[in-house]
Amino acid sequence: MNAAKTHGMAAVIERGAITVTPVRPDFIARVTGLDLRRPLSAAAIDAIEAAIATFAVLIFPGQPVCVDEQVAFGRRFGPLDTGLQTKLLSKVQTRLGNDAVSDISNVAVDGGIADRHHKQAMMNVGNQFWHTDSSYEHHPFRYSILAAQTVVGRGGETEFADLRAAYDTLDDATRDLIADRTGVFFSHNTRQWLGIDDSPADLTAYPPVRWPLVRTHPVSRRRVLWVDSKVREISGMSVPEGRALAHELIEHIGQREHVHAHRWTPGDVVMWDNRSVLHRGRRFDLTERREMRRVSTVDDSASLGTAD
Ligand code: OGA
Ligand code: MN
């Protein structure tokens, strides 16, 4: 049964037992009435896909999934990426024992808090820059699903910025300027800036990829401003001009009115559409334990524009 009732500014949508409560009219919703630890019906998966097409980020509170349950849930939305773990992250450490799962924690293999100079801790500092997961891949990720086990007392929020609103609020001149341009996205752009010392093999694991700066989301049909901190060049511009423009566009995307900050509670699962939002983690005290893990589905849609 589908029903909608007014709740503040936005409608609460009920489908069967599932309740989708918008935080904003078309951005961020809380989803309740499901147990993500158990296999879900096809109708539940459809309801989640419909909700994420509209809201871009779904928050599922009170879902303390284990690794296998998180993997099983993610697989319902398409093939899971294993390339990141096998090509790069496994060289840092393998703690969770599944190539489909990325370790977004500051925990070392012995179970203790990783030292701030441990590559595991340094690498996750890169997540503090606005990005989509794997914008630098020929087949970037569609959905990412992040589950929190241990959270910090202060900081450590994950922020989401709406790329659809960012496009809609561009001024006309900037819209014209970027209309037919492409950006070169490079996997190690922020890592190099951060001074992370990656090997030549790591640097060539993902050859740079070129994407249009404006894309149309294949389901919502909304236009999105497709720029993140992996952009190191923009077509038709000198390298400095392109990097300055990318920086300006990211500042526009990250304006407070486009941003929602999620403060984590253990057992939260947050799922986002990498085609519609940027995200970043916020700074926290690295001597505190922060334990999260992520699975991501691979985007096989050809309608996002051509990568070369
Ligand atoms: C991620 C990510 C940010 C955070 O898991 O992809 O960027 O807050 N996480 O940990
Ligand atoms: Mn990320």
Side-chain angles (χ1 to χ4, degrees):
M1 200 212 334
N2 294 348
K5 63 187 178 223
T6 303
H7 174 85
M9 295 253 317
V12 173
I13 302 149
E14 288 175 7
R15 284 195 185 212
I18 306 172
T19 302
V20 178
T21 308
V23 174
R24 301 189 192 183
D26 63 353
F27 183 43
I28 317 282
R30 290 169 71 85
V31 182
T32 53
L34 291 170
D35 184 350
L36 302 193
R37 292 170 300 181
R38 304 171 73 91
L40 297 179
S41 66
I45 299 297
D46 287 350
I48 292 169
E49 289 203 314
I52 203 167
T54 301
F55 297 105
V57 180
L58 302 179
I59 298 162
F60 300 86
Q63 305 282 354
V65 287
C66 70
V67 169
D68 290 346
E69 290 159 349
Q70 187 175 353
V71 167
F73 175 63
R75 280 217 182 104
R76 299 295 299 279
F77 301 97
L80 298 182
D81 175 76
T82 54
L84 188 58
Q85 186 65 28
T86 50
K87 286 189 191 178
L88 288 180
L89 302 186
S90 61
K91 294 182 184 161
V92 178
Q93 65 179 31
T94 305
R95 190 172 66 90
L96 300 173
N98 188 319
D99 285 343
V101 184
S102 297
D103 187 3
I104 314 291
S105 72
N106 61 343
V107 178
V109 262
D110 65 6
I113 297 174
D115 182 83
R116 62 179 358 107
H117 296 102
H118 190 301
K119 203 153 185 187
Q120 177 67 22
M122 293 197 300
M123 189 179 64
N124 281 329
V125 173
N127 285 341
Q128 293 179 19
F129 291 75
W130 285 117
H131 66 284
T132 59
D133 290 331
S134 283
S135 55
Y136 52 81
E137 282 208 54
H138 281 74
H139 295 282
F141 298 167
R142 180 175 297 174
Y143 303 129
S144 286
I145 299 166
L146 185 59
Q149 291 80 56
T150 313
V151 306
V152 294
R154 192 191 149 110
E157 301 89 350
T158 303
E159 290 187 338
F160 296 93
D162 188 344
L163 293 175
R164 307 158 307 170
Y167 181 78
D168 292 345
T169 54
L170 280 176
D171 62 79
D172 290 344
T174 309
R175 227 182 255 187
D176 289 349
L177 177 69
I178 65 169
D180 298 315
R181 291 183 197 270
T182 56
V184 175
F185 293 73
F186 178 52
S187 57
H188 286 63
N189 203 45
T190 36
R191 293 163 71 114
Q192 287 188 328
W193 193 83
L194 287 168
I196 297 175
D197 190 17
D198 286 306
S199 69
D202 288 351
L203 292 173
T204 52
Y206 289 103
V209 62
R210 190 181 282 282
W211 289 111
L213 296 185
V214 180
R215 312 204 303 191
T216 301
H217 189 284
V219 182
S220 72
R221 306 307 302 167
R222 291 184 67 179
R223 293 229 167 144
V224 300
L225 174 54
W226 184 250
V227 178
D228 79 354
S229 54
K230 300 294 194 287
V231 172
R232 67 169 187 182
E233 219 175 297
I234 290 180
S235 62
M237 294 184 168
S238 69
V239 169
E241 188 186 11
R243 289 188 187 179
L245 178 59
H247 184 77
E248 177 193 320
L249 294 171
I250 292 167
E251 282 193 336
H252 170 74
I253 292 166
Q255 289 179 98
R256 290 292 98 187
E257 58 266 37
H258 303 152
V259 172
H260 172 83
H262 180 68
R263 164 155 285 286
W264 293 92
T265 298
D268 283 349
V269 170
V270 176
M271 175 174 180
W272 64 87
D273 186 337
N274 284 297
R275 301 167 298 184
S276 298
V277 293
L278 298 191
H279 63 280
R280 66 174 179 183
R282 300 300 275 161
R283 179 167 52 82
F284 63 96
D285 178 352
L286 287 177
T287 65
E288 276 192 69
R289 186 184 186 89
R290 184 175 189 264
E291 212 174 340
M292 335 263 286
R293 58 176 126 79
R294 192 191 77 207
V295 300
S296 296
T297 68
V298 177
D299 199 327
D300 51 7
S301 162
S303 57
L304 295 173
T306 317
D308 62 31

